[in-house]
Amino acid sequence: MTEESAFVYRFELGNKAGATPLLLLHGTGGDENDLLQLGAMISPGSALLSPRGRVLEHGMPRFFHRLAEGVFDEEDVRKRALELGAFVESARQRHGIEAPVAVGFSNGANIAAALLLMKPEALAGAVLLRAMVPLSDPPRARLDGKPVLILSGQADPIVPAGNAARLSAMLADAGAKVVHKTLPAGHRLSQADVRLARDWIASVDAQVV
Ligand code: MLT
């Protein structure tokens, strides 16, 4: 078994032609089942690829190690982002799907941002829910107009507003087409997140068709 194929994951077949597949990336303590319902709500009919993070923090799955809350082990972030990229590539071949749009929440959003910066070709775009800057000195990525939606919470105790703004600028500087909105919410998701993500994905799908 190769490193990347060692991810535990769920895959749900899509049933709508032209609907972008989604790569669902859960938050700390979640698993491969967590975001399936969210994925189906924001992009009905899309194929859903949902891996479980392979790092355990006190028994809670995550996508990379951290030294403290909001302080990341960046060497591990880089390594795990590439591992996730390799997983996406092999899962695409196995299931015959196009490059997915990542939908990540919290720790899942942070690894999605790292994947965009480390291996942009792995993703068609990303919805980053409560994301932070994953790498202080990322490689020079060329995101060539890749669509990215960042939804931050105004009262998020984990993600300072300035940090989310830096992530938005970092991805835009690398060439991504970033939409960044800050909602009257905390770290948890709200109905507004679901609505905005759904409308944004529909507009991305409409541009591809
Ligand atoms: C992280 O570790 O990725 C962030 O602090 C978000 C979290 O998982 O709490």
Side-chain angles (χ1 to χ4, degrees), residues 13-203:
L13 263 181
N15 59 10
K16 185 172 155 204
T20 316
L22 303 184
L23 173 68
L24 303 173
L25 300 166
H26 63 78
T28 301
D31 68 18
E32 67 279 15
N33 300 303
D34 266 28
L35 299 186
L36 291 171
Q37 212 183 356
L38 177 72
M41 278 194 288
I42 66 179
S43 189
S46 278
L48 304 175
L49 177 63
S50 187
R52 184 194 304 173
R54 299 175 61 212
V55 168
L56 287 180
E57 184 184 273
H58 308 300
M60 295 186 294
R62 289 175 50 83
F63 287 95
F64 56 82
H65 287 288
R66 63 179 162 182
L67 308 174
E69 190 165 279
V71 184
F72 303 151
D73 173 345
E74 294 201 14
E75 203 182 310
D76 195 58
V77 175
R78 286 169 189 265
K79 180 182 128 194
R80 305 278 175 183
L82 292 178
E83 248 174 51
L84 181 63
F87 162 76
V88 171
E89 206 171 288
S90 64
R92 281 185 59 191
Q93 281 171 21
R94 200 168 318 129
H95 299 293
I97 55 171
E98 300 289 316
V101 166
V103 177
F105 167 62
S106 189
N107 181 247
N110 299 340
I111 194 73
L115 181 55
L116 273 176
L117 292 163
M118 297 287 301
K119 202 172 189 265
E121 67 278 15
L123 297 175
V127 177
L128 306 176
L129 305 165
R130 310 298 184 268
M132 318 176 52
V133 172
L135 293 167
S136 48
D137 186 20
R140 282 193 166 273
R142 292 200 37 198
L143 294 177
D144 291 336
K146 254 182 227 301
V148 175
L149 174 66
I150 303 175
L151 296 178
S152 302
Q154 197 176 43
D156 189 332
I158 296 177
V159 185
N163 189 302
R166 269 199 294 132
L167 174 64
S168 170
M170 185 182 269
L171 294 173
D173 283 351
K177 204 167 133 210
V178 179
V179 176
H180 182 193
K181 290 190 196 301
T182 301
L183 310 180
H187 198 66
R188 287 167 63 159
L189 298 181
S190 66
Q191 276 308 317
D193 287 279
V194 178
R195 187 171 36 79
L196 288 166
R198 189 186 56 212
D199 293 351
W200 181 86
I201 289 199
S203 74

